């Protein structure tokens, strides 16, 4: 199965991003505040006590089917509208290259914007900064530890909607990593939020800036499939 972009380029599924490092920080979030950010057909996961989760991640892809790029995203766990399983909803998705942004938007409906994302290495630590519209939105410092080989499968829901049904777009991904690690209540993760509008959203939804969990994937590949609306040609 292939996807054709507006510029005539084609991609063959599964679309791959390779040789990348990815870091995910999971924060406690106010469920009622997150609910206001979601499309009507998506429901945020319920962690009890009026809370859900917010995931902030960065990745540095040295190669992909559409060239090297860097990416950050703010996602929320939700119940997807097709089979009621948990998926990740992409609320914001800054990306560094026009090619990667075009693919993510046209193929999957991600809410992409072009951004400057810097990843600096210092004595085993990563310092990541996101700049939009000339303003520093956030910085994230972390000290990822090496781990064992691992893989992950999941579903993603995006800012796009299938015009025929009005349902949010959903697609499947699979990830294999040369090394991955997970840490509960990580002490070496520091988030600083700037004055940008996306920063205001983070301040509104996050209960605090200390993550409850972090994951690091080193030397991994992510394969992404087509949207459910294309795969199943949904009619209802």
């Amino acid at each position: 199965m292939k996807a054709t972009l507006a510029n005539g380029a084609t991609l063959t599924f599964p679309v791959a991003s390779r040789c990348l490092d990815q870091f995910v920080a999971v924060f406690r979030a106010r469920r009622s505040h997150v609910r206001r950010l979601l499309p009507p057909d998506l429901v945020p996961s319920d962690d009890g006590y009026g809370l859900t989760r917010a995931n902030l991640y960065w990745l540095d892809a040295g190669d992909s089917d559409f060239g090297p790029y860097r990416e950050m995203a703010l996602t929320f766990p939700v119940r997807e509208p097709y089979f009621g399983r948990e998926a990740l909803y992409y609320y914001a998705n800054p990306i560094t290259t026009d090619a990667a942004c075009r693919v993510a938007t046209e193929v999957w409906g991600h809410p992409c914007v072009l951004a400057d994302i810097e990843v600096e290495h210092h004595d085993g630590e990563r310092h990541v900064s996101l700049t939009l519209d000339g303003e520093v939105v956030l910085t994230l410092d972390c000290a990822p530890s090496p781990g064992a080989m691992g893989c992950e499968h999941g579903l993603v829901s995006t800012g796009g909607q299938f015009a025929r049904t009005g349902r949010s777009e959903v697609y499947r991904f699979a990830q294999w990593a040369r090394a991955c690690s997970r840490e509960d209540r990580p002490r070496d993760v520091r988030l600083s939020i700037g004055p940008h509008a996306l920063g205001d959203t983070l301040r509104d939804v996050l209960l605090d800036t200390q993550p409850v969990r972090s994951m690091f994937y080193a030397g991994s590949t992510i394969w992404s499939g087509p949207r459910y609306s294309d795969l199943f040609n949904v009619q209802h």
Side-chain angles (χ1 to χ4, degrees):
M1 188 172 181
K2 296 180 181 292
T4 302
L5 305 180
N7 63 2
T10 60
L11 291 171
T12 301
F13 291 107
V15 178
S17 296
R18 295 171 289 270
C19 304
L20 58 84
D21 286 346
Q22 180 183 20
F23 182 82
V24 184
V26 182
F27 300 86
R28 296 180 296 174
R30 301 174 179 90
R31 190 168 185 264
S32 61
H33 293 217
V34 170
R35 183 68 186 88
R36 296 198 295 263
L37 303 177
L38 303 180
D41 62 340
L42 298 180
V43 179
S45 296
D46 189 352
D47 291 352
Y49 303 100
L51 298 176
T52 184
R53 281 154 282 145
N55 308 308
L56 191 62
Y57 82 71
W58 61 264
L59 65 79
D60 192 351
D63 183 31
S64 76
D65 290 349
F66 38 90
Y69 66 98
R70 288 172 176 167
E71 172 183 359
M72 292 194 79
L74 172 61
T75 70
F76 304 109
V78 298
R79 187 172 67 244
E80 52 87 10
Y82 289 88
F83 303 106
R85 292 178 290 191
E86 185 168 285
L88 292 175
Y89 172 69
Y90 271 66
Y91 174 77
N93 190 198
I95 294 180
T96 56
T97 69
D98 182 70
C101 198
R102 184 185 306 116
V103 169
T105 302
E106 294 185 26
V107 176
W108 296 294
H110 281 228
C112 288
V113 292
L114 285 173
D116 181 26
I117 301 171
E118 296 294 333
V119 180
E120 300 177 359
H121 298 240
H122 297 293
D123 298 324
E125 290 193 358
R126 307 289 201 282
H127 174 78
V128 182
S129 63
L130 167 64
T131 302
L132 286 169
D133 307 317
E135 291 185 303
V136 177
V137 179
L138 61 87
T139 61
L140 186 65
D141 293 280
C142 56
S145 58
M149 183 175 64
C151 61
E152 182 176 335
H153 301 266
L155 297 172
V156 171
S157 181
T158 73
Q161 288 192 321
F162 183 38
R164 191 185 304 143
T165 65
R167 286 180 174 177
S168 293
E169 293 288 9
V170 177
Y171 68 92
R172 181 179 295 277
F173 76 89
Q175 180 172 3
W176 178 89
R178 173 177 49 79
C180 62
S181 61
R182 168 176 166 165
E183 186 177 359
D184 292 326
R185 301 194 177 280
R187 299 179 180 179
D188 296 325
V189 179
R190 299 176 299 280
L191 172 64
S192 176
I193 303 174
H196 191 273
L198 180 55
D200 293 339
T201 298
L202 285 168
R203 276 185 287 269
D204 180 59
V205 301
L206 297 186
L207 193 64
D208 53 50
T209 58
Q210 181 60 42
V212 296
R213 187 177 308 117
S214 67
M215 290 85 76
F216 178 67
Y217 305 88
S220 65
T221 300
I222 298 176
W223 295 271
S224 299
R227 298 171 296 182
Y228 276 14
S229 58
D230 293 334
L231 188 62
F232 302 132
N233 192 23
V234 177
Q235 300 290 332
H236 54 281

